[in-house]
Amino acid sequence: MSCSYASFSFSSLSIVPSSISVARSRSKFSIQCAVGGTVAEPKVTNAVAEPLLLNAVRGHAVERPPVWLMRQAGRYMKSYQIICEKYPSFRERSENVDLVVEISLQPWKVFKPDGVILFSDILTPLPGMNIPFDIVKGKGPIIFNPLGTVADVDQVREFIPEESVPYVGQALTILRKEVLHTLLQKFTTSMVNYIKYQGDKGAQAVQIFDSWATELSPVDFEEFSLPYLKQIVDSVKQTHPHLPLILYASGSGGLLERLPLTGVDVVSLDWTVDMADGRRRLGPDVAVQGNVDPGALFGSKEFITNRINDTVGKAGKNKHILNLGHGIKVGTPEENVAHFFEVAKGIRY
């Protein structure tokens, strides 16, 4: 049985990130690898964080024109026709959150357009305005009580989306997550391959950066970051069990107890966490790194020395790597960096 309807349309467009960027996903991974004092960073060919379509709209330089199709999801696809056979009513398909998400994603999974279009109908608001309708196969939309009098018009209500079409909002939210999770999974797989490649070529330790952790609530971290970090660690450990993995998540004070759940060997603390508190919260069995405030390197040599000794004293003798709580700031006096290393190397337990 085929499924046909002559005039349905899509009311919303969920923009798909370009293949190498995360569209405001707020969760990104980057890798640094240190071997014998050298540092290698992954090369990203496109640093644009916005989707291709939005960049084109805003007049930014793009590598190609973005592309999507009107009626992108619908009757031309065999996968859609199968759903039609199971759910003959168009309104059922367009007002069921699970079906809306599934149908909306069908063309994206096959063709990877630059936009995922919400499967919906131009008449969707009508029931919420007290204008009941249905879509009859072979005839199209049928309005049960056409407006013909002033009294009929008086019965028309103001459309309140939250009350009348909550499934639209729910579907859009899920679609954004579905696309994002798909992209994050691809990025995770790529990072696993990259870390393993570095390990094969001689890397003796790898640090994983979750650079936007500070933007995530604990709930969002557990959905958009933690599973992928854990997958990276688990996958790498399967083939490189002796390659130490360090995790640095900036602004992670509120997430600290969750970071060891990734399975990394070392948790790197940023400077906003007191080292003693970090040790207490993580427990004695978790190795830590850090966490002198990078701003301290703008101070006097005495001030720098005191900060180093404070950090080392609070970290204790076991499972601690001395480091800053973030990268060195631009303009840091080089002689102060030299003093940092001189003091650090002179420490004796």
Side-chain angles (χ1 to χ4, degrees):
M1 179 177 70
S2 64
C3 181
S4 63
Y5 169 47
S7 62
F8 70 87
S9 66
F10 308 100
S11 59
S12 299
L13 180 68
S14 180
I15 309 302
V16 179
S18 58
S19 60
I20 55 175
S21 65
V22 179
R24 299 197 180 276
S25 68
R26 303 182 302 166
S27 182
K28 61 179 181 180
F29 307 120
S30 59
I31 307 297
Q32 282 189 336
C33 172
V35 185
T38 63
V39 176
E41 296 187 41
K43 299 254 191 299
V44 179
T45 58
N46 186 346
V48 179
E50 292 284 7
L52 190 66
L53 192 149
L54 293 185
N55 279 324
V57 170
R58 293 166 181 166
H60 299 162
V62 292
E63 63 271 22
R64 63 170 175 81
V67 58
W68 62 281
L69 300 175
M70 291 178 279
R71 290 188 174 176
Q72 190 162 272
R75 58 185 182 269
Y76 73 100
M77 297 190 74
K78 292 182 179 179
S79 55
Y80 177 72
Q81 293 172 8
I82 292 174
I83 290 180
C84 289
E85 293 177 2
K86 187 174 182 180
Y87 303 96
S89 168
F90 182 86
R91 286 195 60 182
E92 181 180 11
R93 295 191 297 275
S94 64
E95 297 178 11
N96 179 296
V97 173
D98 292 336
L99 293 178
V100 169
V101 170
E102 182 178 354
I103 295 169
S104 298
L105 288 175
Q106 283 178 344
W108 187 76
K109 291 177 179 178
V110 177
F111 308 115
K112 294 297 185 292
D114 292 304
V116 171
I117 295 85
L118 175 71
F119 182 77
S120 188
D121 187 84
I122 56 176
L123 302 181
T124 295
L126 291 186
M129 300 174 69
N130 198 30
I131 305 175
F133 81 99
D134 202 356
I135 296 174
V136 179
K137 181 184 175 183
K139 293 184 179 180
I142 302 295
I143 296 178
F144 296 131
N145 300 305
L147 305 179
T149 66
V150 173
D152 293 336
V153 174
D154 289 339
Q155 297 302 310
V156 176
R157 296 193 299 259
E158 178 183 352
F159 179 59
I160 303 176
E162 292 81 0
E163 296 179 1
S164 301
V165 292
Y167 52 86
V168 171
Q170 294 167 19
L172 282 170
T173 300
I174 294 172
L175 284 171
R176 286 297 301 273
K177 289 185 177 182
E178 287 281 348
V179 174
L180 176 56
H181 280 301
T182 301
L183 181 62
L184 288 174
Q185 181 57 60
K186 290 186 176 182
F187 201 66
T188 296
T189 302
S190 298
M191 291 302 99
V192 168
N193 294 335
Y194 187 51
I195 295 173
K196 290 182 177 181
Y197 171 78
Q198 293 189 52
D200 291 339
K201 298 303 179 180
Q204 294 172 286
V206 173
Q207 178 159 312
I208 305 170
F209 289 78
D210 189 344
S211 301
W212 287 357
T214 186
E215 301 294 331
L216 297 176
S217 67
V219 173
D220 286 337
F221 179 79
E222 290 178 354
E223 179 174 0
F224 295 106
S225 184
L226 180 58
Y228 299 103
L229 289 169
K230 188 175 188 307
Q231 184 178 339
I232 289 174
V233 174
D234 289 345
S235 298
V236 171
K237 289 298 184 181
Q238 287 179 4
T239 56
H240 297 71
H242 304 298
L243 179 65
L245 299 178
I246 306 167
L247 172 61
Y248 176 80
S250 60
S252 59
L255 306 170
L256 207 55
E257 288 82 0
R258 291 168 171 81
L259 300 186
L261 301 177
T262 62
V264 292
D265 301 287
V266 183
V267 172
S268 187
L269 305 178
D270 72 15
W271 79 97
T272 65
V273 178
D274 181 81
M275 178 58 77
D277 291 340
R279 276 295 205 186
R280 175 181 53 80
R281 291 170 61 186
L282 291 170
D285 297 329
V286 177
V288 295
Q289 177 178 272
N291 68 335
V292 177
D293 184 347
L297 296 187
F298 287 89
S300 66
K301 289 181 171 56
E302 180 182 5
F303 182 79
I304 295 170
T305 300
N306 290 338
R307 285 299 181 93
I308 292 173
N309 289 331
D310 178 70
T311 298
V312 172
K314 290 177 177 177
K317 297 181 179 181
N318 298 316
K319 295 188 174 183
H320 174 236
I321 302 169
L322 182 60
N323 204 323
L324 299 179
H326 202 281
I328 297 178
K329 294 182 177 295
V330 175
T332 301
E334 190 171 337
E335 61 270 23
N336 287 0
V337 177
H339 181 72
F340 176 90
F341 281 109
E342 181 182 355
V343 173
K345 292 180 180 180
I347 294 174
R348 296 295 180 269
Y349 289 124

PDB file of all heavy atoms in Angstrom, residues 120-137:
ATOM      1  N   SER A 120       5.890  17.455   9.850  1.00  0.00           N
ATOM      2  CA  SER A 120       4.703  18.076  10.411  1.00  0.00           C
ATOM      3  C   SER A 120       3.759  18.454   9.271  1.00  0.00           C
ATOM      4  O   SER A 120       3.924  17.994   8.144  1.00  0.00           O
ATOM      5  CB  SER A 120       5.098  19.320  11.233  1.00  0.00           C
ATOM      6  OG  SER A 120       3.988  19.836  11.928  1.00  0.00           O
ATOM      7  N   ASP A 121       2.778  19.304   9.547  1.00  0.00           N
ATOM      8  CA  ASP A 121       1.789  19.683   8.540  1.00  0.00           C
ATOM      9  C   ASP A 121       1.430  21.141   8.726  1.00  0.00           C
ATOM     10  O   ASP A 121       1.416  21.647   9.863  1.00  0.00           O
ATOM     11  CB  ASP A 121       0.536  18.814   8.671  1.00  0.00           C
ATOM     12  CG  ASP A 121      -0.441  19.051   7.536  1.00  0.00           C
ATOM     13  OD1 ASP A 121      -0.258  18.438   6.474  1.00  0.00           O
ATOM     14  OD2 ASP A 121      -1.360  19.866   7.721  1.00  0.00           O
ATOM     15  N   ILE A 122       1.120  21.819   7.629  1.00  0.00           N
ATOM     16  CA  ILE A 122       0.752  23.230   7.727  1.00  0.00           C
ATOM     17  C   ILE A 122      -0.548  23.434   8.498  1.00  0.00           C
ATOM     18  O   ILE A 122      -0.817  24.520   8.998  1.00  0.00           O
ATOM     19  CB  ILE A 122       0.621  23.853   6.315  1.00  0.00           C
ATOM     20  CG1 ILE A 122      -0.370  23.069   5.461  1.00  0.00           C
ATOM     21  CG2 ILE A 122       1.967  23.921   5.633  1.00  0.00           C
ATOM     22  CD1 ILE A 122      -0.608  23.689   4.097  1.00  0.00           C
ATOM     23  N   LEU A 123      -1.366  22.388   8.618  1.00  0.00           N
ATOM     24  CA  LEU A 123      -2.647  22.499   9.329  1.00  0.00           C
ATOM     25  C   LEU A 123      -2.554  22.098  10.798  1.00  0.00           C
ATOM     26  O   LEU A 123      -3.567  22.133  11.502  1.00  0.00           O
ATOM     27  CB  LEU A 123      -3.699  21.630   8.634  1.00  0.00           C
ATOM     28  CG  LEU A 123      -3.975  21.936   7.163  1.00  0.00           C
ATOM     29  CD1 LEU A 123      -5.060  20.998   6.635  1.00  0.00           C
ATOM     30  CD2 LEU A 123      -4.371  23.386   6.969  1.00  0.00           C
ATOM     31  N   THR A 124      -1.378  21.740  11.244  1.00  0.00           N
ATOM     32  CA  THR A 124      -1.201  21.254  12.618  1.00  0.00           C
ATOM     33  C   THR A 124      -1.796  22.173  13.682  1.00  0.00           C
ATOM     34  O   THR A 124      -2.388  21.696  14.656  1.00  0.00           O
ATOM     35  CB  THR A 124       0.288  21.011  12.891  1.00  0.00           C
ATOM     36  OG1 THR A 124       0.747  19.948  12.047  1.00  0.00           O
ATOM     37  CG2 THR A 124       0.532  20.637  14.344  1.00  0.00           C
ATOM     38  N   PRO A 125      -1.698  23.503  13.548  1.00  0.00           N
ATOM     39  CA  PRO A 125      -2.265  24.359  14.603  1.00  0.00           C
ATOM     40  C   PRO A 125      -3.781  24.365  14.690  1.00  0.00           C
ATOM     41  O   PRO A 125      -4.343  24.786  15.714  1.00  0.00           O
ATOM     42  CB  PRO A 125      -1.748  25.765  14.224  1.00  0.00           C
ATOM     43  CG  PRO A 125      -0.582  25.530  13.343  1.00  0.00           C
ATOM     44  CD  PRO A 125      -0.910  24.283  12.582  1.00  0.00           C
ATOM     45  N   LEU A 126      -4.488  23.912  13.644  1.00  0.00           N
ATOM     46  CA  LEU A 126      -5.940  24.108  13.599  1.00  0.00           C
ATOM     47  C   LEU A 126      -6.702  23.510  14.780  1.00  0.00           C
ATOM     48  O   LEU A 126      -7.580  24.189  15.350  1.00  0.00           O
ATOM     49  CB  LEU A 126      -6.504  23.563  12.281  1.00  0.00           C
ATOM     50  CG  LEU A 126      -6.127  24.349  11.023  1.00  0.00           C
ATOM     51  CD1 LEU A 126      -6.864  23.785   9.809  1.00  0.00           C
ATOM     52  CD2 LEU A 126      -6.431  25.835  11.189  1.00  0.00           C
ATOM     53  N   PRO A 127      -6.470  22.257  15.182  1.00  0.00           N
ATOM     54  CA  PRO A 127      -7.237  21.742  16.314  1.00  0.00           C
ATOM     55  C   PRO A 127      -7.065  22.585  17.574  1.00  0.00           C
ATOM     56  O   PRO A 127      -8.017  22.736  18.360  1.00  0.00           O
ATOM     57  CB  PRO A 127      -6.666  20.326  16.501  1.00  0.00           C
ATOM     58  CG  PRO A 127      -6.161  19.950  15.145  1.00  0.00           C
ATOM     59  CD  PRO A 127      -5.612  21.223  14.582  1.00  0.00           C
ATOM     60  N   GLY A 128      -5.867  23.137  17.759  1.00  0.00           N
ATOM     61  CA  GLY A 128      -5.642  23.987  18.919  1.00  0.00           C
ATOM     62  C   GLY A 128      -6.366  25.316  18.829  1.00  0.00           C
ATOM     63  O   GLY A 128      -6.451  26.054  19.813  1.00  0.00           O
ATOM     64  N   MET A 129      -6.893  25.627  17.644  1.00  0.00           N
ATOM     65  CA  MET A 129      -7.684  26.845  17.449  1.00  0.00           C
ATOM     66  C   MET A 129      -9.172  26.523  17.397  1.00  0.00           C
ATOM     67  O   MET A 129      -9.983  27.357  16.989  1.00  0.00           O
ATOM     68  CB  MET A 129      -7.239  27.535  16.153  1.00  0.00           C
ATOM     69  CG  MET A 129      -5.770  27.933  16.159  1.00  0.00           C
ATOM     70  SD  MET A 129      -5.220  28.577  14.553  1.00  0.00           S
ATOM     71  CE  MET A 129      -6.118  30.133  14.504  1.00  0.00           C
ATOM     72  N   ASN A 130      -9.526  25.285  17.774  1.00  0.00           N
ATOM     73  CA  ASN A 130     -10.914  24.823  17.755  1.00  0.00           C
ATOM     74  C   ASN A 130     -11.457  24.697  16.331  1.00  0.00           C
ATOM     75  O   ASN A 130     -12.622  24.980  16.067  1.00  0.00           O
ATOM     76  CB  ASN A 130     -11.816  25.724  18.591  1.00  0.00           C
ATOM     77  CG  ASN A 130     -13.129  25.043  18.936  1.00  0.00           C
ATOM     78  OD1 ASN A 130     -13.174  23.812  19.063  1.00  0.00           O
ATOM     79  ND2 ASN A 130     -14.194  25.823  19.098  1.00  0.00           N
ATOM     80  N   ILE A 131     -10.568  24.289  15.427  1.00  0.00           N
ATOM     81  CA  ILE A 131     -10.975  24.010  14.048  1.00  0.00           C
ATOM     82  C   ILE A 131     -10.558  22.572  13.740  1.00  0.00           C
ATOM     83  O   ILE A 131      -9.464  22.324  13.239  1.00  0.00           O
ATOM     84  CB  ILE A 131     -10.306  24.979  13.051  1.00  0.00           C
ATOM     85  CG1 ILE A 131     -10.582  26.432  13.441  1.00  0.00           C
ATOM     86  CG2 ILE A 131     -10.793  24.715  11.626  1.00  0.00           C
ATOM     87  CD1 ILE A 131      -9.858  27.446  12.573  1.00  0.00           C
ATOM     88  N   PRO A 132     -11.391  21.594  14.057  1.00  0.00           N
ATOM     89  CA  PRO A 132     -11.013  20.199  13.853  1.00  0.00           C
ATOM     90  C   PRO A 132     -10.907  19.846  12.373  1.00  0.00           C
ATOM     91  O   PRO A 132     -11.675  20.358  11.542  1.00  0.00           O
ATOM     92  CB  PRO A 132     -12.143  19.419  14.526  1.00  0.00           C
ATOM     93  CG  PRO A 132     -13.298  20.359  14.534  1.00  0.00           C
ATOM     94  CD  PRO A 132     -12.729  21.736  14.651  1.00  0.00           C
ATOM     95  N   PHE A 133      -9.954  18.985  12.066  1.00  0.00           N
ATOM     96  CA  PHE A 133      -9.773  18.548  10.684  1.00  0.00           C
ATOM     97  C   PHE A 133      -9.184  17.151  10.675  1.00  0.00           C
ATOM     98  O   PHE A 133      -8.737  16.618  11.692  1.00  0.00           O
ATOM     99  CB  PHE A 133      -8.832  19.511   9.932  1.00  0.00           C
ATOM    100  CG  PHE A 133      -7.372  19.260  10.191  1.00  0.00           C
ATOM    101  CD1 PHE A 133      -6.591  18.539   9.288  1.00  0.00           C
ATOM    102  CD2 PHE A 133      -6.762  19.731  11.358  1.00  0.00           C
ATOM    103  CE1 PHE A 133      -5.244  18.292   9.537  1.00  0.00           C
ATOM    104  CE2 PHE A 133      -5.428  19.491  11.598  1.00  0.00           C
ATOM    105  CZ  PHE A 133      -4.660  18.772  10.690  1.00  0.00           C
ATOM    106  N   ASP A 134      -9.165  16.574   9.511  1.00  0.00           N
ATOM    107  CA  ASP A 134      -8.487  15.292   9.312  1.00  0.00           C
ATOM    108  C   ASP A 134      -7.966  15.271   7.880  1.00  0.00           C
ATOM    109  O   ASP A 134      -8.335  16.108   7.046  1.00  0.00           O
ATOM    110  CB  ASP A 134      -9.418  14.112   9.564  1.00  0.00           C
ATOM    111  CG  ASP A 134      -8.633  12.839   9.877  1.00  0.00           C
ATOM    112  OD1 ASP A 134      -7.380  12.877   9.814  1.00  0.00           O
ATOM    113  OD2 ASP A 134      -9.269  11.814  10.187  1.00  0.00           O
ATOM    114  N   ILE A 135      -7.092  14.328   7.630  1.00  0.00           N
ATOM    115  CA  ILE A 135      -6.533  14.171   6.289  1.00  0.00           C
ATOM    116  C   ILE A 135      -6.960  12.807   5.769  1.00  0.00           C
ATOM    117  O   ILE A 135      -6.625  11.774   6.361  1.00  0.00           O
ATOM    118  CB  ILE A 135      -5.004  14.303   6.316  1.00  0.00           C
ATOM    119  CG1 ILE A 135      -4.617  15.725   6.747  1.00  0.00           C
ATOM    120  CG2 ILE A 135      -4.412  13.990   4.950  1.00  0.00           C
ATOM    121  CD1 ILE A 135      -3.146  15.935   6.955  1.00  0.00           C
ATOM    122  N   VAL A 136      -7.705  12.807   4.713  1.00  0.00           N
ATOM    123  CA  VAL A 136      -8.277  11.590   4.148  1.00  0.00           C
ATOM    124  C   VAL A 136      -7.453  11.178   2.942  1.00  0.00           C
ATOM    125  O   VAL A 136      -7.214  11.987   2.034  1.00  0.00           O
ATOM    126  CB  VAL A 136      -9.748  11.794   3.746  1.00  0.00           C
ATOM    127  CG1 VAL A 136     -10.320  10.513   3.145  1.00  0.00           C
ATOM    128  CG2 VAL A 136     -10.571  12.244   4.951  1.00  0.00           C
ATOM    129  N   LYS A 137      -7.031   9.925   2.928  1.00  0.00           N
ATOM    130  CA  LYS A 137      -6.224   9.423   1.820  1.00  0.00           C
ATOM    131  C   LYS A 137      -6.979   9.603   0.495  1.00  0.00           C
ATOM    132  O   LYS A 137      -8.144   9.257   0.360  1.00  0.00           O
ATOM    133  CB  LYS A 137      -5.897   7.946   2.043  1.00  0.00           C
ATOM    134  CG  LYS A 137      -5.028   7.355   0.939  1.00  0.00           C
ATOM    135  CD  LYS A 137      -4.816   5.878   1.156  1.00  0.00           C
ATOM    136  CE  LYS A 137      -4.054   5.287  -0.027  1.00  0.00           C
ATOM    137  NZ  LYS A 137      -3.888   3.820   0.105  1.00  0.00           N
TER     138      LYS A 137
END
